[in-house]
Amino acid sequence: MAEESDLEKTEDPSPRRLEKAREEGDIPRSKELSTFAGLMAAAGGLWLSGDDIIYRLQDILKSSLRFNQTIAESNDRFEIDLSQEIIDLVMAFLPFIGLVMLVGIFSPILVGGWIFNSKSLEPKLDKLDPIKGLANIFSSHSFVELVKSVLKTVLIGLVSWFVTESLIDDILALSIQPFTMAGHNQAQILLTCFIAISAAFAIIAFLDAPYQMYRYNKKMMMSRQDLKDEAKESEGNPETKAKIRSIQREMARKRMMSQVPNADVVVTNPTHYAVALNYADEGDKAPVVVAKGLGLVALKIQEIARENEIMIVEAPMLARALYANTDLEAEIPSSLFTAVAQVLAYVFQMRDWKREGGNQPEFPSEIQVPAELDPQNGTTL
C-alpha cells in the first residue's frame, strides 16, 4: 500500500518540473481566450476605423469603374491606377489588421505567457502511435472539447439569430437607401452583429481559461516517488554524495598526514589524541596545527612522527585542549600560548641536548592549560 501511495500523483508540481516543462514548450494555453481577444480586437478596429474603411472602399470602387480615353490608349496608365488602388486598399485595412496582429502577439500573455522554444517544433514519433491516438479520442479532454464545440455552435447560432431578428427592418431598408447611406448603415449592422457574437464568445473563453489551467496543473501533478527522484537528480544520490564525502575526507587525511614531517612536536594523550604543531622561529606568528586526529588517526600521526624523528610529547590535557579548540592549518588560540610554549621550550632544549650533550632537560612538572578548554574538564582518559 505504501508503494501504491508513493506512485499516486497527489503532490503539486515542483518549480523544477514546471521549469523543465516550460523549457520543452509545454505550457498552459487557452485557444478560446486568444480567439476571443482577436475577435474583440477586430471589433474594436471596425468600431474605430469602420467608417474610414467604407469610404475608402467606395472611393476605390468608383475609381475602378471609371474608364476614359487615356486609360484605353495607355497600358502604363492602367497599371499605375491599378497599383494605386491596391495601395489604397491596403492602407484602408492597415490600422485594422495592425490592431488584430498586435493583440494576436500579446494575447498569449493572458495564459501561459510568451515562450520561444525550438523543441516544440521537433517531430515526435509517439504522436504517430495509433493506440495512444485512439486513447486520446476517448479521453476526458476530448469530451470537454466536444462539449465546447457544441456550446460554441449553439451559442453563436442563437446570438446571430436574435441579433438578425432585431435588425431585420434595418437590413431590409438597405435596398431602398442611397449608396453612401446604405454602405454606412450596412457597416453599422455588421459591426453590431460582430460585437454581439464576440461578446457571446466571451462566455466560452472565460470558462476555458480556468479549465486549461486546471488541466495543466493536473497533468503536472507529481507522485512522492517523482519528488524523491527529482531530489536525487538535483541534489545528487545520497549514497553517491556519501561516497564523495568519504573520498574527500580520505584525500584531506592524506594531505594532512603529508604535513606531519614538517611538525616540530606531536602532543598526545597518548593513544586517544594526537596534535602535530609547527612553529616558525622567525616573525611573530603563533604555532600552527598541521595535523590532528583521534584513535587510529592519532596512532598514524605518531607513527609518521617516529619515522621522521619528530618528538612526541605526552601531555593529555593539552592534547585534548588543542584538538577541541583548534583548526587545521590555523594558529593556536592565545589561551594556549603558555602551555604550548612550555612544550616547545622543552622540545628545543632536548634538540640542543641531543646535539651538544650536557644535563638532560626535565619535562615541565605542570603544563598550564585552562580547565575550561579541556573537553574532559581536566580529567585524563
Side-chain angles (χ1 to χ4, degrees):
M1 292 296 291
E3 291 182 1
E4 290 181 3
S5 63
D6 283 349
L7 295 176
E8 292 178 1
K9 296 185 180 296
T10 57
E11 307 299 320
D12 290 335
S14 66
R16 172 58 186 156
R17 179 172 175 80
L18 294 175
E19 181 184 353
K20 190 174 181 180
R22 189 174 183 84
E23 289 173 357
E24 295 175 353
D26 188 2
I27 56 176
R29 278 282 184 253
S30 175
K31 295 180 180 178
E32 312 301 341
L33 188 59
S34 296
T35 303
F36 168 70
L39 288 174
M40 292 307 296
L46 289 175
W47 180 271
L48 294 172
S49 59
D51 289 342
D52 185 55
I53 290 174
I54 292 297
Y55 293 141
R56 287 205 181 197
L57 289 176
Q58 289 176 350
D59 291 340
I60 292 170
L61 181 60
K62 291 176 182 179
S63 176
S64 63
L65 294 176
R66 292 193 189 102
F67 190 80
N68 53 43
Q69 185 176 358
T70 304
I71 296 175
E73 293 177 350
S74 174
N75 290 332
D76 292 340
R77 185 62 192 174
F78 176 75
E79 293 175 0
I80 293 172
D81 290 347
L82 181 61
S83 300
Q84 185 60 47
E85 289 171 2
I86 293 174
I87 292 172
D88 291 342
L89 184 63
V90 171
M91 293 303 295
F93 283 93
L94 189 59
F96 170 76
I97 295 173
L99 180 60
V100 174
M101 289 181 62
L102 194 64
V103 172
I105 293 172
F106 284 95
S107 60
I109 296 176
L110 299 173
V111 177
W114 275 339
I115 183 171
F116 301 94
N117 189 282
S118 59
K119 288 186 178 180
S120 56
L121 301 177
E122 296 176 359
K124 296 182 179 179
L125 296 178
D126 58 341
K127 292 185 176 181
L128 301 177
D129 186 354
I131 298 176
K132 191 174 180 180
L134 192 63
N136 289 334
I137 292 175
F138 296 100
S139 65
S140 58
H141 176 63
S142 297
F143 176 74
V144 172
E145 292 298 320
L146 176 62
V147 170
K148 274 198 310 183
S149 298
V150 173
L151 180 61
K152 281 191 288 186
T153 303
V154 172
L155 188 61
I156 293 173
L158 287 173
V159 170
S160 300
W161 185 80
F162 279 118
V163 173
T164 304
E165 181 70 19
S166 64
L167 297 174
I168 189 65
D169 293 336
D170 295 332
I171 295 172
L172 294 175
L174 293 175
S175 59
I176 59 174
Q177 292 175 354
F179 180 77
T180 303
M181 182 184 293
H184 176 75
N185 291 338
Q186 183 181 13
Q188 292 297 323
I189 292 171
L190 290 174
L191 180 60
T192 302
C193 293
F194 194 77
I195 292 175
I197 293 172
S198 299
F201 205 86
I203 299 173
I204 301 168
F206 290 122
L207 288 175
D208 182 66
Y211 166 72
Q212 294 299 338
M213 295 295 294
Y214 164 78
R215 176 173 172 267
Y216 180 77
N217 187 69
K218 187 175 181 181
K219 183 177 73 170
M220 291 289 109
M221 292 286 282
M222 304 173 69
S223 65
R224 292 180 181 176
Q225 186 61 42
D226 291 334
L227 291 173
K228 292 177 183 177
D229 293 341
E230 185 183 80
K232 288 180 180 180
E233 181 182 347
S234 58
E235 299 178 5
N237 190 303
E239 295 178 359
T240 304
K241 290 174 69 177
K243 188 174 182 180
I244 291 173
R245 284 196 297 269
S246 176
I247 294 173
Q248 290 173 337
R249 284 195 298 268
E250 183 62 27
M251 292 176 64
R253 187 178 298 117
K254 289 181 178 179
R255 187 168 57 251
M256 179 183 71
M257 293 301 182
S258 68
Q259 296 299 315
V260 175
N262 299 325
D264 290 307
V265 64
V266 174
V267 184
T268 67
N269 195 30
T271 57
H272 298 83
Y273 292 83
V275 180
L277 300 174
N278 174 265
Y279 176 63
D281 228 352
E282 63 278 358
D284 55 356
K285 289 187 177 180
V288 174
V289 177
V290 295
K292 67 176 185 175
L294 292 172
L296 294 176
V297 177
L299 294 176
K300 185 65 177 178
I301 291 174
Q302 294 179 56
E303 179 185 341
I304 297 174
R306 292 189 189 97
E307 292 173 355
N308 291 272
E309 300 182 353
I310 306 299
M311 191 167 181
I312 299 174
V313 174
E314 292 185 14
M317 191 172 178
L318 177 59
R320 292 192 299 267
L322 284 169
Y323 184 86
N325 299 281
T326 60
D327 295 320
L328 278 176
E329 301 179 0
E331 296 180 0
I332 64 171
S334 57
S335 53
L336 291 175
F337 280 179
T338 302
V340 171
Q342 289 177 283
V343 170
L344 286 173
Y346 170 73
V347 169
F348 294 147
Q349 288 171 4
M350 285 295 295
R351 286 181 184 175
D352 293 339
W353 173 75
K354 289 179 181 179
R355 187 171 56 250
E356 300 173 0
N359 296 325
Q360 182 176 349
E362 294 183 4
F363 189 76
S365 58
E366 183 180 356
I367 298 179
Q368 301 175 15
V369 179
E372 65 273 12
L373 297 183
D374 184 0
Q376 297 298 321
N377 295 322
T379 60
T380 58
L381 290 173

